[in-house]
Amino acid sequence: EVQLAESGGGLVQPGGSLRLSCAASGFTFSSYWMSWVRQAPGKGLEWVANIQEDGGEKYYVDSVKGRFTISRDNAKKSLYLQMNSLRAEDTAVYYCARRREYAYGVLFDYWGQGTLVTVSS
Amino acid sequence: SSELTQDPAVSVALGQTVTITCQGDSLNIYYASWYQQKPGQAPLLVIYGQNNRPSGLPDRFSGSSSGNTASLTITGAQAEDEADYYCNSRDSSGNHVVFGGGTKLTVL
C-alpha cells in the first residue's frame, strides 16, 4: 500500500525557517517524480515544487523561488522541503504527492495527509 | 496564460447529472486531471487524461476534453459526491503545474 506521511509543520515567525519531511512507503520511491502542493486555509490547491527521480531537475512556483528548496534522499525514501524567509502568505497545509506523467498530462495519484505550517508573530 | 478557471460553485439534485468545467490555454496542449477533496481530507484523484479512472473509483465519474476546456461529469450524483473538485494540468511551459480554483459541488 502506497503511503506518504508528512511531518515538520508548526508555528514559525515571519522571516523564519522550517523543514518539512515526507516519508514514503509501499512503492519504489526512486522511480517517481515527487511534489509538494499546499492549501491555504479555506483556499484552493497550489502546486509548490517538483523534483525529478534522481533529484537532478527541480521546479518551483514563482512565489517560492529562491526561498524554498525541494530535495530528496532515495536511500531513506524521503522527500524534503526547506522553507526559508517565510511569509504570512506561506501559511497553509503542505501536502506531499507522488507525481506521474502520462501522454500530454501530469497527475498526482497519491497524497499524504498534510502538515500545517503557520507563519505568524 | 497559465491559469485554469473553474466555476466556484455548482449544485445538482440527488441522482441527476452534473458537469464541472475547467478552462485554460494549457488545455489546448495538455490533458487535465481531476481531484475530489472532502473537508479535512487530502485530495483524491478521480479522473485523468481523456477519460481514465483510477481503480476503485465509481464509473459514474467521467471526463472529457475539447479545445481549451476539460469537463468532469458525474452521472447520477450521490450524497457522498458533495465535495470540492479541482482540475490541474501542466502549464504552457510544460515544467510547472497549475490547479484550477476549485468548484464546490452541492448535492441537493
Side-chain angles (χ1 to χ4, degrees), chain B residues 7-8 10 19 28 31 42 45 50 55 63 69-70 80 85 92 96 108:
Chain B
D7 290 330
V10 170
T19 296
N28 284 306
Y31 284 122
L45 177 69
Q50 181 66 15
S55 60
T69 301
E80 60 264 32
Y85 290 85
S92 299
H96 291 194
L108 303 173

Side-chain angles (χ1 to χ4, degrees), chain B residues 19-91:
Chain B
T19 296
I20 299 170
T21 61
C22 173
Q23 288 188 304
D25 290 345
S26 63
L27 298 181
N28 284 306
I29 307 170
Y30 301 112
Y31 284 122
S33 300
W34 290 92
Y35 305 85
Q36 176 194 70
Q37 187 181 35
K38 297 181 180 179
Q41 296 184 17
L44 174 72
L45 177 69
V46 294
I47 288 288
Y48 64 96
Q50 181 66 15
N51 184 18
N52 299 289
R53 275 178 291 110
S55 60
L57 263 292
D59 61 5
R60 63 178 179 272
F61 290 90
S62 63
S64 63
S65 179
S66 178
N68 73 340
T69 301
S71 301
L72 170 70
T73 297
I74 306 173
T75 303
Q78 302 300 302
E80 60 264 32
D81 299 333
E82 186 163 288
D84 294 326
Y85 290 85
Y86 295 91
C87 61
N88 91 292
S89 172
R90 294 174 184 265
D91 77 345

